């Protein structure tokens, strides 16, 4: 069982240049269904594990490792930076704030960060109706919001989020309303900063680029698999919230935009 943390003692990671796509993926003419079949199998196993109350740290890392390695089996390349900033947290509760691009984020986040922090997500309430995923999110104590009443959502996040942080766990916030392949600062709200300020904790900005997994035209969650697109994750140092948090909100946006500018060269 590959449940060990893959990046022990590392500040960054790059898929080795010698990495090649699996033979089966190549024999199947690099079909997206190779990825989705294996990914769905991992998803079911993870959900069943959660339903049995056994989705602990070890198993979270295990299933997430499988998803991360699946990317490389499809010929994808992964670049991760800023792991030292996660390691420096030493289980300190923080709010991690970043952009949202594809389903890969929730699939591989545990492989990247779970060794150093325990965390949960803020999710759409409707996701709790999805079989297997429901059990995973309940096991992680995810915070569901309706996304129809922004004021009620903010209240829920502030109240329930503060409880999670007081337990010593972190919260990952994607302030965008939906997944997007581009970064639009105008659609990046301040809910994460407001939560951190209310709870008296720091924020950790992160940026990601996961368009390796595209958004489908007919079925949004079954988009193309594009090995030529490098998967990027980068974390910045933790920041204190000062004043009304606008300075930190701008710093988070600037960090994400700077990473996009670099990755899109």
């Amino acid at each position: 069982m590959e449940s060990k943390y893959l990046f022990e003692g590392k500040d960054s990671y790059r898929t080795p240049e010698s990495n090649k796509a699996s033979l089966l993926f190549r024999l199947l003419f690099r079909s997206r269904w190779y990825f989705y079949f294996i990914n769905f199998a991992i998803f079911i196993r993870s959900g069943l594990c959660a339903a049995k109350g056994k989705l602990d740290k070890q198993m979270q890392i295990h299933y997430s490792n499988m998803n991360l390695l699946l990317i490389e089996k499809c010929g994808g390349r992964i670049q991760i930076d800023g792991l030292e900033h996660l390691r420096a947290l030493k289980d300190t509760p923080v709010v991690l704030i970043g952009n949202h691009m594809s389903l890969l984020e929730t699939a591989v986040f545990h492989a990247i960060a779970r060794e150093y922090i325990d965390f949960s997500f803020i999710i759409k309430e409707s996701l709790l109706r999805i079989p297997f995923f429901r059990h995973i999110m309940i096991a992680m104590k995810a915070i569901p919001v309706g996304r129809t009443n922004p004021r009620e959502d903010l209240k829920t996040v502030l109240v329930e989020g503060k409880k999670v942080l007081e337990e010593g766990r972190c919260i990952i916030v994607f302030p965008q309303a939906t997944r997007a392949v581009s970064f639009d600062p105008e659609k990046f709200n301040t809910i994460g900063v407001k939560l951190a300020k209310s709870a008296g904790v720091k924020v950790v900005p992160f940026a990601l680029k996961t368009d390796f997994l595209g958004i489908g035209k007919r079925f949004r969650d079954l988009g193309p698999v594009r090995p030529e697109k490098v998967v990027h994750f980068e974390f910045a140092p933790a920041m204190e919230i000062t004043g009304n948090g606008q300075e930190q909100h701008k710093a988070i946006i600037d960090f994400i935009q700077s990473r996009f500018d670099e990755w899109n060269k």
Side-chain angles (χ1 to χ4, degrees):
M1 179 186 296
E2 189 63 83
S3 59
K4 68 177 182 180
Y5 183 57
L6 298 176
F7 313 113
E8 187 68 40
K10 296 181 179 180
D11 294 342
S12 62
Y13 172 79
R14 301 288 186 273
T15 297
E17 291 294 331
S18 59
N19 181 73
K20 293 183 179 180
S22 76
L23 177 60
L24 182 56
F25 180 63
R26 286 179 278 149
L27 289 174
L28 291 173
F29 303 102
R30 301 180 180 272
S31 169
R32 74 181 70 182
W33 302 113
Y34 172 90
F35 175 89
Y36 285 113
F37 179 81
I38 298 176
N39 174 254
F40 189 59
I42 297 169
F43 173 65
I44 292 175
R45 290 175 60 188
S46 181
L48 292 173
C49 182
K52 295 175 183 177
K54 297 181 179 181
L55 193 63
D56 57 11
K57 175 180 177 179
Q58 181 185 39
M59 297 309 297
Q60 288 170 353
I61 292 176
H62 169 61
Y63 290 119
S64 192
N65 281 351
M66 293 174 69
N67 281 312
L68 191 145
L69 295 174
L70 176 58
I71 296 170
E72 296 185 329
K73 286 182 179 179
C74 291
R77 291 172 295 147
I78 300 167
Q79 294 188 10
I80 306 171
D81 292 289
L83 291 172
E84 69 274 20
H85 302 312
L86 295 180
R87 188 165 58 246
L89 296 176
K90 299 178 180 178
D91 291 316
T92 301
V94 297
V95 178
L96 296 97
I97 305 173
N99 62 301
H100 194 14
M101 186 174 285
S102 78
L103 294 175
L104 279 188
E105 283 94 272
T106 52
V108 304
F109 226 109
H110 285 86
I112 296 170
R114 185 62 181 89
E115 177 68 13
Y116 301 123
I117 56 172
D118 190 3
F119 58 85
S120 191
F121 296 98
I122 296 172
I123 63 169
K124 290 188 296 185
E125 194 172 41
S126 59
L127 294 177
L128 292 179
R129 295 195 290 269
I130 299 176
F132 305 108
F133 191 80
R134 167 184 172 83
H135 296 300
I136 296 170
M137 291 297 104
I138 289 175
M140 291 181 60
K141 298 181 181 179
I143 301 172
V145 294
R147 289 195 174 174
T148 56
N149 187 326
R151 182 171 294 182
E152 281 300 312
D153 287 349
L154 176 59
K155 181 179 178 181
T156 298
V157 170
L158 293 182
V159 173
E160 299 302 321
K162 192 172 182 179
K163 291 179 183 178
V164 172
L165 292 163
E166 287 175 347
E167 292 174 358
R169 304 174 69 232
C170 300
I171 296 179
I172 295 173
V173 180
F174 300 113
Q176 296 162 253
T178 187
R179 303 191 300 264
V181 295
S182 59
F183 179 63
D184 184 355
E186 296 298 320
K187 296 180 179 179
F188 200 80
N189 67 50
T190 60
I191 194 168
V193 171
K194 288 176 179 175
L195 170 59
K197 178 177 173 59
S198 174
V201 301
K202 295 180 179 181
V203 295
V204 172
F206 67 88
L208 54 82
K209 189 172 183 288
T210 59
D211 50 351
F212 164 93
L213 194 61
I215 297 175
K217 293 181 179 179
R218 288 191 176 184
F219 301 99
R220 186 175 176 83
D221 294 337
L222 296 175
V225 171
R226 300 179 290 199
E228 72 277 7
K229 300 282 189 178
V230 179
V231 175
H232 290 277
F233 280 80
E234 184 165 345
F235 300 86
M239 299 188 300
E240 294 271 6
I241 300 297
T242 58
N244 60 10
Q246 287 300 313
E247 182 179 341
Q248 285 71 44
H249 181 67
K250 182 180 184 302
I252 294 168
I253 288 174
D254 290 346
F255 172 74
I256 297 172
Q257 189 62 67
S258 71
R259 298 300 84 213
F260 265 70
D261 292 342
E262 178 66 27
W263 297 334
N264 289 326
K265 284 182 179 179

